[in-house]
Amino acid sequence: MAVRTAQNIYDTLITGIASGQFSPGEPLAEVALAERFGVSRTPVREALHRLEQANFAERGPRRAFFVRKMRASDLEDLFEAVGEVEAALAALAARRMTEIQRRQLQAILEEGKACGDDARAYGAINARFHAQIGQGAHNTTLSETHADLTMRTQVWRSANFERDARRLASSREEHAALTDAILEGDADATRSLMRQHVASSFLTLTDILGV
Amino acid sequence: MAVRTAQNIYDTLITGIASGQFSPGEPLAEVALAERFGVSRTPVREALHRLEQANFAERGPRRAFFVRKMRASDLEDLFEAVGEVEAALAALAARRMTEIQRRQLQAILEEGKACGDDARAYGAINARFHAQIGQGAHNTTLSETHADLTMRTQVWRSANFERDARRLASSREEHAALTDAILEGDADATRSLMRQHVASSFLTLTDILGV
DNA sequence: TTGACCGGTTATGTATACATATAAAGGATA
DNA sequence: TATCCTTTATATGTATACATAACCGGTCAA
């Protein structure tokens, strides 16, 4: 724990929040975390400030930090933003993906079809599918922006690792349609499909959360 | 300088970088800045880390901070991202702006027509025009994302406060066309126009910079 | 001549003590 | 009893000392 302690703590906290170990509203006190990690307040403090800037923590009474709470409306707002950015990425990808990237996308799609009902495996393949589209857009800034926004949604998805079989099937269909549109280079159709795809996963999530 | 020193320093540095007082590549040493502001290293350090996270500073040899340098390709990447996000915002605004917001947008457009050749005044009106569209989209996350990206471009625009009369005129025309499309509620046309508008200002900027 | 090694220099990284702000609780007073 | 002021507890904010990493330049040996 000698070097880059602050970075490690930041990563640990991000992971912890995204994986649901820290739930929204839970206090993030400097001293408590410092003891927990066996370091001084200084690196913890730095990590907390970075969390705040990355929209994972908020300040409360006495300026105390806590894991950011979200209302249902915030979640909708966030998912819409993700959808718009990812739709833009996908539209760019439809025009710009290299031949190799198109083949890779197809391969990932096939993997998704082949993994059966293993929700965990499908989740990983799903992430690669979206990452591949992000890469295909050939715009670093926009795909980093998308990654930031997506990570914020992760806080809410983590609690619901399992998806029901119906959503898994419809997700596959949507991925297939998206892949077709991208391979045809139809940017407008791609944009529209991606927006619908993200909206669908939002609806599934709210369904599960009962928001 | 009693409270929120770190915040003040952060704001000062952001402003300084965006306004060109600190040029890209210039070192940002903790001790030097601490002396300059008459505080200890601690708040300066916090400000620098925030700058790094916000993509305004980079690390160099000996982990030293300096103002982020950008290559021409990065600038193009950045402007494209801004264009895509703002196009998405504008498309949302075309569908969602309240009647009051539409009237306000028209009013701002008229102000822009009326300010003559005062480039500085037009710059302020231009900012309000775009902010109004951002508000009209009714998506906080997306408009915050846009604001972040736009601030990054500010570093490059600041050095070129004056625009030539031709760009000022064409900007007016593009704003007028955008306003028409938004008032008609034509989301697709709005998206396309906004993308072109941002691309135009990028070309003007590269022209001036001679990149 | 070149290569590696090894202090010196200089930057940030971390620990700790103290300062300060503020919400909450409690007592005095109308 | 309600309200306002004071006190107090507890969080972060800041200053400072010391630790640590890494580049740089010189020296020595092959």
Side-chain angles (χ1 to χ4, degrees):
Chain A
M1 195 74 80
V3 291
R4 304 230 43 71
T5 310
Q7 178 70 42
N8 290 336
I9 292 177
Y10 177 74
D11 292 341
T12 304
L13 288 176
I14 281 269
T15 307
I17 292 173
S19 73
Q21 290 169 33
F22 296 93
S23 20
E26 187 167 337
L28 295 168
E30 285 182 5
V31 279
L33 293 172
E35 285 176 15
R36 178 163 173 175
F37 292 117
V39 298
S40 81
R41 276 178 51 210
T42 309
V44 173
R45 176 184 166 70
E46 180 182 323
L48 289 177
H49 278 91
R50 291 182 58 186
L51 279 180
E52 183 188 19
Q53 193 168 350
N55 258 289
F56 282 100
E58 282 183 322
R59 314 300 288 264
R62 288 196 184 85
R63 299 178 190 168
F65 286 98
F66 56 84
V67 180
R68 185 187 178 93
K69 293 181 193 174
M70 264 198 183
R71 290 163 306 181
S73 65
D74 293 333
L75 192 59
E76 190 175 331
D77 190 275
L78 176 56
F79 262 84
E80 182 175 76
V82 170
E84 290 296 331
V85 172
E86 187 152 17
L89 279 172
L92 289 176
R95 288 199 297 264
R96 291 191 188 158
M97 269 191 158
T98 66
E99 193 54 37
I100 292 174
Q101 288 173 327
R102 288 168 198 271
R103 299 282 176 91
Q104 287 172 329
L105 187 69
Q106 276 183 299
I108 295 170
L109 181 70
E110 294 305 321
E111 280 188 68
K113 286 179 184 170
C115 75
D117 286 342
D118 184 344
R120 179 146 194 157
Y122 185 75
I125 294 169
N126 177 62
R128 284 172 49 215
F129 181 82
H130 287 269
Q132 180 73 12
I133 292 175
Q135 284 209 320
H138 295 286
N139 185 306
T140 309
T141 304
L142 200 58
S143 70
E144 280 174 2
T145 299
H146 175 255
D148 283 352
L149 293 172
T150 299
M151 184 169 281
R152 288 200 225 167
T153 70
Q154 203 55 39
V155 181
W156 299 90
R157 307 172 94 130
S158 61
N160 308 281
F161 227 39
E162 308 300 325
R163 304 167 178 224
D164 62 2
R166 195 182 50 211
R167 173 62 191 151
L168 205 145
S170 62
S171 174
R172 277 198 180 103
E173 287 171 22
E174 290 163 20
H175 279 198
L178 266 168
T179 305
D180 285 346
I182 289 174
L183 294 182
E184 286 172 18
D186 188 340
D188 287 334
T190 302
R191 179 194 310 277
S192 171
L193 286 170
M194 180 59 89
R195 202 170 2 221
Q196 290 169 31
H197 178 54
V198 175
S200 295
S201 48
F202 171 68
L203 289 178
T204 305
L205 181 61
T206 52
D207 233 32
I208 297 174
L209 291 175
V211 180
Chain B
M1 194 73 76
V3 291
R4 307 219 55 66
T5 309
Q7 178 71 43
N8 289 336
I9 292 178
Y10 177 74
D11 293 340
T12 305
L13 288 177
I14 281 270
T15 308
I17 292 174
S19 73
Q21 290 170 34
F22 296 93
S23 20
E26 188 167 336
L28 295 168
E30 285 182 6
V31 278
L33 292 172
E35 286 176 14
R36 179 164 172 174
F37 292 118
V39 298
S40 80
R41 276 178 50 208
T42 309
V44 172
R45 176 183 165 71
E46 180 183 322
L48 288 177
H49 278 91
R50 291 183 59 186
L51 278 180
E52 184 188 20
Q53 192 167 353
N55 257 288
F56 282 100
E58 283 183 323
R59 314 300 288 264
R62 288 197 183 85
R63 300 176 190 168
F65 286 98
F66 56 84
V67 180
R68 184 187 178 94
K69 293 181 195 176
M70 265 198 182
R71 290 163 304 181
S73 64
D74 293 334
L75 192 59
E76 190 174 331
D77 190 274
L78 176 57
F79 263 84
E80 182 174 75
V82 170
E84 291 296 331
V85 172
E86 187 153 15
L89 279 172
L92 289 175
R95 289 198 296 265
R96 291 189 188 161
M97 268 191 159
T98 66
E99 194 54 38
I100 292 175
Q101 288 174 326
R102 289 167 198 272
R103 299 284 176 91
Q104 287 172 328
L105 188 67
Q106 277 182 297
I108 295 170
L109 181 70
E110 294 305 320
E111 280 188 69
K113 286 178 183 168
C115 76
D117 286 342
D118 184 344
R120 178 144 195 160
Y122 186 75
I125 294 169
N126 177 63
R128 283 172 51 215
F129 181 82
H130 287 269
Q132 180 73 11
I133 292 176
Q135 284 207 320
H138 295 285
N139 185 306
T140 309
T141 305
L142 200 57
S143 70
E144 280 174 1
T145 299
H146 174 256
D148 283 352
L149 293 172
T150 300
M151 184 168 283
R152 289 200 224 166
T153 70
Q154 204 54 40
V155 182
W156 298 90
R157 307 171 93 129
S158 61
N160 308 281
F161 228 39
E162 309 299 327
R163 304 166 179 225
D164 60 5
R166 195 182 52 213
R167 173 61 191 153
L168 205 146
S170 62
S171 174
R172 275 196 182 104
E173 287 171 23
E174 290 162 21
H175 280 198
L178 265 167
T179 305
D180 285 345
I182 289 173
L183 294 183
E184 286 171 19
D186 188 340
D188 289 333
T190 302
R191 180 193 308 278
S192 171
L193 286 170
M194 181 60 88
R195 204 172 359 223
Q196 291 168 32
H197 178 54
V198 175
S200 295
S201 48
F202 170 68
L203 289 178
T204 305
L205 181 60
T206 51
D207 234 31
I208 297 174
L209 291 175
V211 181

